[in-house]
Each structure stands twice: as C-alpha cells, then as structure tokens.
Amino acid sequence: MTDRAPGLRERKKQRTRQTLSETAVRLFMEKGYDSVSVAEVAAAAEVSKPTLFRYFAAKEDLVLHQFADHEDEAARVVAGREDGESPLGALRRHFLEGLRRRDPVTGLCDHPAVLAYQRLLYGTPQLVARLYGYQERSERALAEALGGPVVRARIAAGQIVATQRILAEENVRRIVAGESADALEAVAVRTAKDGFRQLAEGVGRWYG
C-alpha cells in the first residue's frame, strides 16, 4: 500500500513553513543571525509572532528546517536497501551518489546560495549547537533501522552519522576555502570510500 498524498490543509502548512524558513534565512544572510529578531521574520513573512511559533519552536529551527527531510534519511536508505545489500553498503552507495549529484548534504556543492547558507549555518554557534539535536534524532532513527542489540545499534549509528558529518564538513571547509566542487570531487570520493572502509574495518586497525 502506498502512502496517501498530504491533504490540502497539510500542503498549506508545508508551504507556510517553507515560506517562513526561506524568509528567515534571507534576512539572516542579509543582516546577520543575531541582528534579526523572530518578530522581524514574522513581520516580513506577514504572519504574527505566535503563528510563527506554532510552526517553529525556536529561532534556530527556522534555519535548520532545510535539514528536516534529512533527519531519517539514513534510516530510510537502510530500510529501502536492495536485496543482499548490507546496511553499510547501502549507506556508502547513497553517499557516493550524493557526491555525484552535488547534494548539499554531502558538502560537495559550490552553488552560491548553498555556500551562503553553509556560511550562515557553520558560522553561527547557536545553529551548530542546534544541529547536533537533529543529528541525535538521525542516530536514533538509524539505530532502529539497523536493529539488533540496542547498544550495539546505537554505537554503530553514532559512528555512521558522525562519519557522514565529518566527510561533509571537510568538503564544506575546502569549498569555502576556494576549491570548486568539480576539482574536489575525486578527493571527496576517495575520502568517503576511506571513511566507509574505516567504518567497515573498525578503528582497531589504526588505533588498537
């Protein structure tokens, strides 16, 4: 059975949520995160402040809304993997495909709008701190998808999510420093393969 498409009410909520997030990000980029209040965002989006808070519990969430669809992405990849494919193999394949697509989540994207967003995100301590909450939820969802003993699944999920985060951060760092995505792709692919190999073999090979 396929999932039913969202109804009109839910689509309106999604559009409002997206509008609020886009308005906030634009203002934060123009004036600086700390210089823009939630009330200013609400006014620019033509909604009341209480209405804004019905959609977003905190100011930081206005920016991190773009990560919302990715919270359970790793879990979905594992759950939907091909027959005979291991969970780690599916996640490796998915990450490498993301690099080829220049998916911003992998960090290998030098589109000006993406770069501006990443500078806002990683240059704002409050946002970086809030991002870890999203990653914790991603870990929990992935651990559930992996299955098996709870602690073992949680440790594996934590290692996988951390590896993907570090790979993405390294790509962002190099692109912000001036490298193009095209020039960096071969290195990013090789580094990603090394990272997933380390996951597969364990840290004992290097630090045991």
Side-chain angles (χ1 to χ4, degrees):
M1 180 181 296
T2 58
D3 293 335
R4 189 169 56 185
L8 177 61
R9 183 187 298 272
E10 182 57 32
R11 292 199 301 272
K12 286 183 176 179
K13 288 181 178 179
Q14 290 172 355
R15 285 196 297 269
T16 300
R17 192 173 288 112
Q18 186 65 26
T19 296
L20 287 167
S21 176
E22 290 175 352
T23 300
V25 169
R26 175 177 56 79
L27 289 173
F28 296 154
M29 287 180 179
E30 290 175 356
K31 302 180 180 181
Y33 179 81
D34 292 327
S35 298
V36 179
S37 67
V38 171
E40 287 180 76
V41 174
E46 299 183 337
V47 301
S48 67
K49 186 175 176 181
T51 295
L52 184 149
F53 278 121
R54 284 203 295 271
Y55 287 92
F56 293 99
K59 181 180 178 181
E60 294 86 351
D61 293 333
L62 286 159
V63 179
L64 294 172
H65 172 65
Q66 297 186 36
F67 280 86
D69 291 339
H70 298 285
E71 272 192 21
D72 62 347
E73 183 172 337
R76 286 187 276 111
V77 169
V78 169
R81 68 188 185 277
E82 301 171 0
D83 291 341
E85 188 175 33
S86 70
L88 190 58
L91 290 164
R92 177 184 183 275
R93 171 179 53 78
H94 182 74
F95 193 88
L96 292 174
E97 289 173 352
L99 292 175
R100 286 191 289 271
R101 293 194 311 270
R102 300 293 189 266
D103 188 335
V105 173
T106 69
L108 191 66
C109 183
D110 53 9
H111 189 283
V114 173
L115 285 175
Y117 175 82
Q118 289 171 338
R119 289 190 181 98
L120 169 67
L121 175 61
Y122 293 108
T124 308
Q126 304 97 305
L127 296 176
V128 173
R130 191 76 169 185
L131 181 59
Y132 281 106
Y134 280 71
Q135 291 168 341
E136 287 174 6
R137 290 191 289 275
S138 181
E139 288 178 16
R140 288 198 296 271
L142 177 56
E144 185 174 342
L146 291 172
V150 174
V151 174
R152 184 173 69 189
R154 287 183 60 193
I155 291 173
Q159 291 174 325
I160 291 167
V161 170
T163 296
Q164 293 180 325
R165 172 181 58 80
I166 291 167
L167 290 171
E169 287 177 352
E170 177 62 11
N171 291 335
V172 170
R173 182 189 68 79
R174 295 183 66 153
I175 287 178
V176 168
E179 295 185 60
S180 71
D182 289 344
L184 182 57
E185 181 178 10
V187 173
V189 168
R190 184 168 63 249
T191 303
K193 290 179 177 178
D194 287 344
F196 277 92
R197 185 180 301 115
Q198 182 171 333
L199 281 172
E201 296 176 352
V203 298
R205 179 178 176 183
W206 289 274
Y207 305 108

